[in-house]
Amino acid sequence: MSLTLARRMGALRSSAIRDLLTVTARPDVLSLAGGLPDPELVPHERIRQEVDRVLGSPDALQYTETAGWFGLREVVAARETGQVAPDEVVITHGSQQALSLLAQVLLDPGASVVVEEPAYPGALQVFRAAESRVLTVPLDVDGMRTDRLEALLDSGERPVLVHTVSNFHNPRGATMTAARRAHLAGLAERFGFWVLEDDPYGELYYDGPPPEPVATHSDRVIRLSSASKILAPALRVGWLRGPREVCAAVELVKQGADLCGSSLIHQVATGLLTDGPWLDAHLTAIRAQYGARATALHSALVGEFGDAVEVTAAAGGMFGWVEFRDGTDTDALLRAAVERRVAFVPGSAFAVDGGHRHGARVCFTTNTAATLEVAVERLAEAHRTLVVTT
């Protein structure tokens, strides 16, 4: 039987990060690849208690509103900066679904979008499925190069939206400065595009909170966030905050996608997010653990590789970025590294049209400081072998 798929499928390719899961699932492989919370730091007992409490409510297992259980929308609205109403919030199945729904609402085939490069692969998958024309602007240690974005706009490009991971960027680890946030918002006002401020990591800061969101500067900013990194990925609770008209359009599309989310899970998340003393203590604990691991990984990389690499010191989030100054091809390095039972994500996985062959994303959250040191030792062994054989 001849199988014909929709045209948009031709632009899609599997995430290299997801493909690595078959390797990192091996118990003998130390993984610096997947961006996962440490399961030992997920609050299992507190979630169990909240599930038991919520199950006492007769509506816990009933359908809920497409935009999400109203109580959770109230909580998210209160957590957002500024005067936000519940009808300016939509609860989604993780923030990735929010990104996908917004693409359906805002993008016609052929519409131009701008992403930071190296880019978040989940955003690339969404925009390619929407048959968008993807343009790029570079990052540096201060986040998106908004001066380069302005030059792109001055050249005549008119994107419908600009996507940014403003806090503790995936994969680059950078945080956009306050000045660049204001500049980006000003460009959105001047040229009439939407900014999608994708912020799943903002509460995982180690040296102090990041600057105020881009959304504080303009109504043309739609914020996406998630409870996956601070509570548990399996809850699949994400959200978007935006103008009422955008939220209403997203809700309409979402009706055709999944009717509604889980009332049970939404009420559980509400209980966790409103338990202030417990949540503050939980966030303090995971920030301390992850911050120490970020420092340990940075120290190990600098100690093993020295001047051969430039390493971004993570001030939050889950990732560091390693740039090999000696010309190392990180795709080849990954193959050698897996033989030595360690894995990472090569920079090419985050490239829009090739490139970043000397870069690598490394995740520090799922390993202790001692294990991270062993992982970097194995990576250095792989690197030495690669240098000898090339």
Side-chain angles (χ1 to χ4, degrees):
M1 180 182 67
S2 176
L3 178 62
T4 302
L5 299 178
R7 181 182 62 190
R8 69 180 64 90
M9 296 303 296
L12 298 184
R13 55 179 180 266
S14 179
S15 165
I17 302 170
R18 289 286 165 182
D19 293 343
L20 271 173
L21 291 178
T22 56
V23 173
T24 58
R26 287 168 37 190
D28 62 327
V29 173
L30 298 181
S31 177
L32 305 175
L36 310 173
D38 187 339
E40 296 298 322
L41 299 178
V42 171
H44 298 81
E45 185 56 36
R46 182 66 187 85
I47 292 173
R48 183 182 295 110
Q49 293 170 2
E50 198 60 32
V51 170
D52 290 342
R53 186 191 69 79
V54 169
L55 282 173
S57 171
D59 67 344
L61 301 179
Q62 187 55 278
Y63 290 111
T64 190
E65 300 170 70
T66 300
W69 192 64
F70 186 77
L72 180 54
R73 283 188 283 141
E74 285 186 307
V75 169
V76 170
R79 290 174 64 84
E80 286 289 315
T81 303
Q83 300 294 319
V84 181
D87 62 356
E88 296 173 308
V89 172
V90 178
I91 307 301
T92 56
H93 193 72
S95 60
Q96 184 68 22
Q97 188 191 43
L99 188 59
S100 178
L101 293 172
L102 284 165
Q104 294 179 63
V105 165
L106 299 176
L107 298 175
D108 290 319
S112 296
V113 301
V114 174
V115 300
E116 299 157 321
E117 191 170 23
Y120 167 52
L124 292 180
Q125 283 188 316
V126 165
F127 298 144
R128 284 167 174 156
E131 301 181 78
S132 300
R133 176 171 170 257
V134 180
L135 308 171
T136 65
V137 292
L139 289 158
D140 62 20
V141 293
D142 292 326
M144 177 189 284
R145 286 283 304 275
T146 55
D147 60 327
R148 297 284 292 273
L149 173 62
E150 184 171 20
L152 188 69
L153 296 166
D154 286 340
S155 74
E157 292 290 353
R158 292 295 179 266
V160 175
L161 63 86
V162 173
H163 178 266
T164 178
V165 183
S166 55
N167 296 323
F168 318 124
H169 185 268
N170 178 8
R172 188 64 171 77
T175 295
M176 192 186 301
T177 62
R180 290 189 184 181
R181 291 170 194 240
H183 188 206
L184 174 59
L187 292 174
E189 294 282 348
R190 176 181 162 195
F191 290 95
F193 58 81
W194 293 102
V195 175
L196 299 192
E197 185 179 15
D198 205 344
D199 184 24
Y201 310 107
E203 295 198 69
L204 289 182
Y205 53 81
Y206 312 134
D207 298 328
E212 290 292 315
V214 182
T216 61
H217 300 283
S218 173
D219 292 334
R220 297 201 63 82
V221 181
I222 303 169
R223 271 181 48 79
L224 288 62
S225 194
S226 168
S228 294
K229 309 303 187 293
I230 62 171
L231 295 178
L235 295 179
R236 304 311 302 133
V237 171
W239 54 83
L240 67 89
R241 165 214 168 166
R244 289 178 173 86
E245 296 81 2
V246 172
C247 289
V250 167
E251 184 176 354
L252 187 61
V253 173
K254 193 174 188 296
Q255 288 174 7
D258 63 5
L259 295 180
C260 67
S262 165
S263 177
L264 171 65
I265 295 301
H266 289 187
Q267 292 184 52
V268 168
T270 300
L272 296 171
L273 292 173
T274 54
D275 188 349
W278 171 81
L279 183 61
D280 288 345
H282 171 65
L283 288 173
T284 297
I286 60 175
R287 286 170 187 150
Q289 288 279 0
Y290 291 157
R293 294 175 188 186
T295 299
L297 179 59
H298 183 271
S299 298
L301 287 165
V302 171
E304 285 286 350
F305 290 97
D307 293 339
V309 299
E310 179 181 352
V311 186
T312 301
M318 295 184 159
F319 309 111
W321 181 260
V322 183
E323 193 74 27
F324 282 86
R325 294 168 168 160
D326 61 358
T328 295
D329 183 316
T330 51
D331 284 283
L333 179 60
L334 176 62
R335 292 190 290 272
V338 169
E339 293 179 359
R340 284 152 186 82
R341 296 170 293 123
V342 64
F344 62 91
V345 185
S348 61
F350 308 99
V352 175
D353 292 310
H356 302 292
R357 304 288 297 192
H358 308 310
R361 191 193 78 176
V362 286
C363 176
F364 48 79
T365 51
T366 53
N367 292 297
T368 65
T371 304
L372 289 168
E373 290 177 2
V374 175
V376 173
E377 289 173 1
R378 294 181 183 180
L379 186 61
E381 291 174 6
H383 181 259
R384 287 190 291 270
T385 301
L386 194 67
V387 170
V388 167
T389 59
T390 55

